[in-house]
Amino acid sequence: RKEKDRSDELLLNILPSDTALELKNTGQTTARQYNEVTVLFCDIVGFTKVAEQLSPQELVKEIDTYFRAFDDIIGLYGMEKIKTVGDAYVAVGGMPLYNEASAKDVVNAAIEMLKRVHLLSIERKQNNRPAFELRVGLHTGSVVAGVVGSKKFQFDIWGDAVNIAARMEQNSEPGKINISDVTYEAVKNDFKCTSRGKIEAKNKGMIDMFFVEFELG
């Protein structure tokens, strides 16, 4: 019983609860489409350069500090973590089933992430340790979600909304939250935003982008 509980706990740590239950019951999962999902991409600026000067143990410890902080924050706002890729972190609001985290929740989570990184930077500079900044991008749209592979399988998301969110992050700046016109329409009554005009997004053409304004302190 103890081993089964531990196995279930590990599965829930890898997959959303409804997907984990489906996999347990049927041995397979069904891909699903979700609408009105807000995708968050963020990247630790300058990490690659500093990583070259760290031992493998130090490297893992550094990035683990940040990602654990992000895990806590998205949990507070009811979001779902999707994956980490190197020093990039991806999470969503509005999926899987019964996830009601809105675009507003995702923006608030992004603000908290930037505030946490700012505090960590102050602490680290005081201790002569490497400090980093965070670059964030958000977009709202439809995604397809599912599990890929049969070994070391991974829950992931696909679709145009994912690609555009990645472009939002790439066109953001350190310490900033860059959002698409679609996300702006969803949160414009809740946050002050500054228009950046139309900016070219790789393979996506010109997209209206906005910075969310907020105070770090």
Side-chain angles (χ1 to χ4, degrees):
R1 176 70 188 181
K2 195 178 283 188
E3 287 299 317
K4 183 180 181 301
D5 289 345
R6 190 178 176 195
S7 175
D8 290 349
E9 187 179 335
L10 285 170
L11 197 61
L12 286 169
N13 201 31
I14 299 169
L15 303 172
S17 56
D18 57 324
T19 304
L21 186 62
E22 183 183 13
L23 186 64
K24 274 178 57 182
N25 291 339
T26 67
Q28 59 186 18
T29 63
T30 307
R32 293 188 176 93
Q33 179 165 331
Y34 298 91
N35 299 315
E36 291 300 308
V37 170
T38 300
V39 184
L40 177 152
F41 267 77
C42 67
D43 183 71
I44 300 175
V45 181
F47 189 83
T48 303
K49 192 171 183 179
V50 174
E52 295 170 358
Q53 304 162 27
L54 300 175
S55 70
Q57 292 79 10
E58 289 172 326
L59 174 62
V60 172
K61 186 177 179 182
E62 291 294 331
I63 205 160
D64 185 58
T65 299
Y66 286 88
F67 285 173
R68 281 179 182 268
F70 299 166
D71 287 350
D72 290 343
I73 290 166
I74 69 157
L76 287 173
Y77 285 93
M79 296 169 60
E80 184 77 25
K81 178 181 179 180
I82 300 299
K83 61 184 176 183
T84 61
V85 183
D87 57 359
Y89 186 101
V90 186
V92 299
M95 61 150 285
L97 295 174
Y98 315 116
N99 182 300
E100 297 178 356
S102 64
K104 178 182 176 181
D105 293 321
V106 179
V107 173
N108 276 321
I111 291 171
E112 288 302 317
M113 291 164 83
L114 285 163
K115 287 181 176 180
R116 187 73 63 89
V117 168
H118 178 65
L119 290 174
L120 282 168
S121 295
I122 293 172
E123 290 175 16
R124 285 161 173 270
K125 285 173 182 175
Q126 289 172 346
N127 295 315
N128 294 316
R129 295 178 68 189
F132 308 97
E133 290 185 285
L134 193 67
R135 187 173 58 217
V136 183
L138 310 179
H139 176 65
T140 304
S142 299
V143 303
V144 173
V147 175
V148 290
S150 58
K151 295 182 183 295
K152 296 184 179 178
F153 47 75
Q154 180 178 340
F155 182 80
D156 209 346
I157 55 175
W158 300 270
D160 207 41
V162 181
N163 299 329
I164 294 175
R167 299 293 179 261
M168 292 302 108
E169 180 270 311
Q170 291 161 6
N171 285 281
S172 189
E173 295 176 5
K176 298 278 192 179
I177 303 168
N178 187 40
I179 64 175
S180 68
D181 49 354
V182 181
T183 302
Y184 169 74
E185 288 299 325
V187 303
K188 64 183 180 182
N189 295 324
D190 300 300
F191 302 94
K192 181 182 177 183
C193 300
T194 300
S195 173
R196 306 179 66 197
K198 289 186 180 294
I199 296 175
E200 185 170 2
K202 186 179 178 183
N203 299 327
K204 295 297 171 186
M206 305 298 287
I207 299 178
D208 282 310
M209 301 186 193
F210 300 79
F211 277 145
V212 177
E213 302 298 329
F214 63 96
E215 296 290 332
L216 276 177

